[in-house]
Amino acid sequence: MPKWEDNLRQVTPYVPGAQPQSKNVIKLNTNENPYPPSPKVVKAIQEMDLETAMRKYPDPTSGDLVHALENYHGLDEGQIFVGTGSDDVLSIAFLTFFNSDRPIIFPDVTYSFYPVWAQVYGIPYREIPLDESFRILPEDYGWIDPENRASAIDEGGDIPENGGVVIANPNAPTGISLKRGYVEQIIAANPDVIVIVDEAYIDYSRESVLPLLHDYDNLVIVRTFSKSRAMAGMRIGYAMSSPRLIRAMNDVAQSINSYTMSATTLKAGVASIEDDEYFRARIEDVRKTRARTIVELKKRFFNVLPSSTNFVFASPSRVKCETLFEELCARNIFVRHFNGERIRDYLRITIGTDREMDALFAAIDEIQG
Ligand code: PMP
């Protein structure tokens, strides 16, 4: 074995959902939007001076997009960090904020990239089990109900010592959302570390923690253009926090790569933000189809978790999950199956168009007989 083998960084990478290149598939496996982005996004790119955009380096501050997002969310200057998808933003956030010997904590069932970043950056971590209904309990993240404070402390004050907290809200792949007040309990219970709230699916939900940014200096919120803005292929994500924490993220990011966002990506991002009417209408379309999907799956004897996202997490009771997954694949319908201990009986099904969902229901009927 060559000596350099000892010095290779060994990691088990995150496995993204399949991206079949054929057009003849119904793709319900990576939570993409079934609708196109605003026509204004495509137009903005078509109207660019592409020769110049390709020849020159893009703006290293991503100024136009950062300012568009600051205005859109009513934030002050310096409160937005942008990156190439929220994966990039989360990865930079891990690298920037999690430098303690104590483990960072996140749920055992959540976005499976979190443990991968922890491993690649050498950050110790601990997975906190969701309860039996797949809910995140603030008590497991250090929150002590004031009414029970005395008894909790008598029992040794069960506050886990941690180096940071990561919560996806709504959570994935469960789709379950925690009300703002409960997320606030987690943020409030951990004032000495950074709490990252990954809001990849928040536009399909109701309660963002954005209004809490004024009150907590340890809160970092991460969002993406990949789902509700139908721009997964453009790779845009962003973080919202205090200028102090955003500066720290920019310092780290700029120490790795000065130009992460391409000129076309920046243009597309701004155009999307400017067409709010289209954005909201497509969210409503997905919400309607989601409600119908839940009813149709329940009719077919699935256990369906409540969803605040553009997917449902559902467990068939008439057929084995793996069988259903494979039979759907054989019919060119792609959904996602995770082999985790607690979730292997569930499929994560992205909400597509009504026609795509009808094809899914027909296929399920055929498979279940
Ligand atoms: N967070 C969660 C919870 C996700 O499900 C995803 C999508 N895989 C991401 C972040 C990353 O999305 P993107 O990099 O496309 O912004």
Side-chain angles (χ1 to χ4, degrees):
M1 205 170 71
K3 199 109 185 80
W4 46 257
E5 282 275 355
D6 297 344
N7 296 325
L8 285 185
R9 192 179 293 276
Q10 310 270 359
V11 283
T12 311
Y14 172 75
V15 183
Q19 289 294 127
Q21 295 303 309
S22 158
K23 287 218 151 118
N24 292 329
V25 300
I26 295 183
K27 206 172 163 304
L28 308 175
N29 68 334
T30 53
N31 299 340
E32 289 147 333
N33 200 313
Y35 303 106
S38 156
K40 292 185 182 159
V41 171
V42 179
K43 191 154 169 271
I45 293 187
Q46 283 166 342
E47 286 174 355
M48 280 177 82
D49 172 0
L50 286 174
E51 284 178 9
T52 307
M54 288 183 202
R55 184 172 57 79
K56 289 170 65 180
Y57 283 111
D59 172 7
T61 70
S62 303
D64 289 349
L65 181 57
V66 162
H67 294 137
L69 285 164
E70 281 164 359
N71 286 337
Y72 184 72
H73 290 299
L75 296 172
D76 292 336
E77 206 174 321
Q79 290 200 271
I80 296 278
F81 170 90
V82 294
T84 51
S86 57
D87 282 341
D88 179 42
V89 175
L90 286 161
S91 144
I92 294 289
F94 272 53
L95 193 54
T96 307
F97 302 124
F98 299 152
N99 293 295
S100 143
D101 295 337
R102 294 179 181 167
I104 59 167
I105 54 177
F106 45 78
D108 62 338
V109 178
T110 190
Y111 186 30
S112 43
F113 221 138
Y114 302 154
V116 176
W117 287 312
Q119 277 162 31
V120 75
Y121 294 139
I123 302 164
Y125 67 94
R126 193 152 71 83
E127 298 179 0
I128 310 283
L130 298 179
D131 79 354
E132 66 287 354
S133 314
F134 291 127
R135 281 175 313 186
I136 293 170
L137 298 183
E139 290 81 359
D140 294 337
Y141 294 79
W143 170 253
I144 297 173
D145 182 346
E147 309 227 325
N148 294 325
R149 192 171 286 274
S151 63
I153 289 169
D154 285 345
E155 284 163 26
D158 192 20
I159 302 173
E161 295 238 310
N162 68 67
V165 183
V166 190
I167 299 288
N169 194 50
N171 198 12
T174 63
I176 295 176
S177 166
L178 202 59
K179 284 190 181 154
R180 184 188 300 131
Y182 293 93
V183 188
E184 180 168 12
Q185 290 174 348
I186 295 173
I187 301 163
N190 291 279
D192 297 332
V193 297
I194 301 301
V195 178
I196 298 177
V197 181
D198 177 354
E199 292 193 337
Y201 300 100
I202 198 70
D203 296 317
Y204 299 105
S205 169
R206 266 190 304 239
E207 297 203 75
S208 168
V209 289
L210 188 55
L212 303 181
L213 264 191
H214 299 294
D215 303 326
Y216 295 93
D217 68 358
N218 61 330
L219 172 60
V220 176
I221 304 168
V222 177
R223 299 252 186 117
T224 179
F225 280 48
S226 298
K227 322 289 179 183
S228 53
R229 293 192 178 276
M231 290 167 72
M234 293 307 287
R235 312 306 299 131
I236 306 178
Y238 59 105
M240 299 183 275
S241 188
S242 65
R244 171 79 190 86
L245 296 188
I246 293 298
R247 209 178 320 123
M249 287 182 77
N250 270 317
D251 287 347
V252 170
Q254 295 285 323
S255 304
I256 296 172
N257 182 354
S258 309
Y259 307 104
T260 49
M261 311 293 285
S262 76
T264 42
T265 300
L266 292 172
K267 200 51 131 196
V270 172
S272 171
I273 293 293
E274 284 171 352
D275 196 354
D276 208 40
E277 200 179 317
Y278 178 92
F279 170 65
R280 293 191 184 282
R282 294 296 80 71
I283 289 170
E284 268 325 298
D285 291 341
V286 169
R287 277 206 177 124
K288 277 191 201 127
T289 308
R290 176 177 76 193
R292 195 168 79 80
T293 300
I294 292 172
V295 171
E296 293 297 327
L297 289 176
K298 285 185 173 167
K299 270 194 218 161
R300 289 164 176 80
F301 308 100
F302 280 64
N303 174 33
V304 190
L305 300 192
S307 169
S308 297
T309 57
N310 65 338
F311 59 85
V312 291
F313 205 46
S315 174
S317 62
R318 291 281 163 107
V319 58
K320 268 189 76 181
C321 209
E322 285 92 340
T323 312
L324 182 57
F325 175 79
E326 279 158 22
E327 289 287 330
L328 288 172
C329 265
R331 288 165 176 78
N332 274 339
I333 300 178
F334 283 68
V335 297
R336 191 97 199 253
H337 180 240
F338 297 93
N339 222 348
E341 199 182 307
R342 298 179 69 188
I343 54 175
R344 63 170 62 103
D345 292 336
Y346 286 81
L347 294 179
R348 194 194 67 187
I349 304 169
T350 304
I351 304 299
T353 59
D354 279 311
R355 271 180 73 179
E356 288 174 322
M357 300 323 276
D358 285 338
L360 171 78
F361 307 143
I364 292 173
D365 288 341
E366 200 179 279
I367 297 162
Q368 295 195 151

